Amino acid sequence: MLIAVSGKGGVGKTMLSALLVKVFSDENQDLLAIDADPDSNLPDALGIKVEKTIGDVREEILESRNRSPGKTLHDVLEYHTLGTIEETDNFDLLAMGRPEGSGCYCAVNHMLREIIDKWAKGYKTVVIDTEAGLEHLSRRTTQDVDTMIVVTDTSKRGIETAKRIKNLAADLDIDFKKLYVVINRADPGMAEGIKKELEAFGLEVLGAIPEDRNVLEFDYTGRPLPELPPDSPALVEILKIKDRLTGAS
Ligand SMILES: Nc1ncnc2c1ncn2[C@@H]1O[C@H](COP(=O)(O)OP(=O)(O)OP(=O)(O)O)[C@@H](O)[C@H]1O
Ligand SMILES: [Mg+2]
């Protein structure tokens, strides 16, 4: 299952991604987490230090610092791409880093995309934390995901972004097998109304994560989210979300 987490800035994409990584990898160790946000903080949320990103590999190759005579560009890219993967006991992590610049990196980007796609297919579960907004759709970095989860808070703009992702995906002929919304920091009373509004728009709501003081505290102290106490309200709801996802697949 290839899951991407998207939505407006600051709504809780990284929090949900990190905890999905936790609950899926607690069950099977065959999980790849991809940080696709150039302003990355998924590694921090997971308590992992990334040495090198795909963006760094791209720059090095383009500056010819890593070309080896007698090897094809594809082989060199593959070697260095796989070298960026951070392995933990429970899951692997790959950070995309800076996105492509405006120069024509077409061949390199195309090969990188192919290498990562092929590599990701070797995992049972892949969780991608995307950058805020809709860019990932127009750049087509999420076109192959089968489960798109749009996170929204209870703000009008968060909800509008969820609706726009549905519309833009349709305009771009991107056909997610499943497109869900998760309401975050939801007041139980408000969540019901928002759920109705989203469903009337044809969006399925997968869950509502409550405000969780532990999440705030962990963020403040820099503790990795997978260490949250098991009775943390956000974690409890995300376990249910995982069950709904696997029940639905
Ligand atoms: N359910 C929650 N309860 C309490 N705090 C939360 C909750 N969800 C997210 N937060 C806090 O809200 C802030 C934003 O969350 P997060 O970084 O996950 O959002 P994001 O969508 O990834 O942001 P960005 O668009 O900048 O990548 C963080 O400080 C996080 O700890
Ligand atoms: Mg984030």
Side-chain angles (χ1 to χ4, degrees), residues 192-246:
E192 215 27 62
I194 294 170
K195 184 167 185 251
K196 286 208 178 94
E197 175 184 345
L198 289 164
E199 283 172 355
F201 194 78
L203 280 163
E204 191 175 336
V205 176
L206 196 57
I209 304 168
E211 178 74 20
D212 185 337
R213 205 188 143 76
N214 290 342
V215 172
L216 277 182
E217 278 182 15
F218 271 53
D219 195 32
Y220 178 64
T221 56
R223 268 183 82 184
L225 288 176
E227 292 174 12
L228 278 176
D231 61 352
S232 286
L235 183 54
V236 169
E237 177 63 17
I238 290 167
L239 257 173
K240 290 186 196 152
I241 287 174
K242 188 214 74 181
D243 289 342
R244 286 175 205 134
L245 280 171
T246 42

Side-chain angles (χ1 to χ4, degrees), residues 72-212:
T72 64
L73 178 59
H74 185 280
D75 288 347
V76 176
L77 278 173
E78 185 159 45
Y79 174 77
H80 290 286
T81 298
L82 302 187
T84 67
I85 294 175
E86 300 287 338
E87 294 177 4
T88 76
D89 288 345
N90 299 317
F91 57 86
D92 294 350
L93 174 93
L94 184 134
M96 299 302 290
R98 275 167 297 164
E100 53 227 61
S102 51
C104 187
Y105 298 168
C106 321
V108 169
N109 283 323
H110 184 72
M111 282 182 206
L112 282 171
R113 176 86 49 90
E114 262 181 14
I115 291 163
I116 295 167
D117 283 356
K118 194 175 120 205
W119 186 253
K121 284 202 175 79
Y123 292 83
K124 191 169 171 213
T125 313
V126 180
V127 175
I128 309 173
D129 181 18
T130 71
E131 66 198 296
L134 308 166
E135 275 275 303
H136 57 92
L137 289 175
S138 39
R139 283 209 264 115
R140 298 200 170 261
T141 40
T142 52
Q143 70 173 350
D144 295 324
V145 315
D146 37 48
T147 304
M148 172 61 76
I149 302 179
V150 190
V151 184
T152 182
D153 50 17
T154 55
S155 74
K156 190 95 216 141
R157 278 194 41 226
I159 296 163
E160 287 307 316
T161 300
K163 293 179 179 175
R164 282 171 60 209
I165 286 177
K166 179 178 194 284
N167 286 342
L168 185 60
D171 289 349
L172 295 173
D173 272 334
I174 298 176
D175 192 13
F176 302 118
K177 260 196 228 141
K178 293 281 179 185
L179 173 61
Y180 297 113
V181 178
V182 165
I183 306 168
N184 187 28
R185 311 185 88 156
D187 163 89
M190 271 179 95
E192 215 27 62
I194 294 170
K195 184 167 185 251
K196 286 208 178 94
E197 175 184 345
L198 289 164
E199 283 172 355
F201 194 78
L203 280 163
E204 191 175 336
V205 176
L206 196 57
I209 304 168
E211 178 74 20
D212 185 337

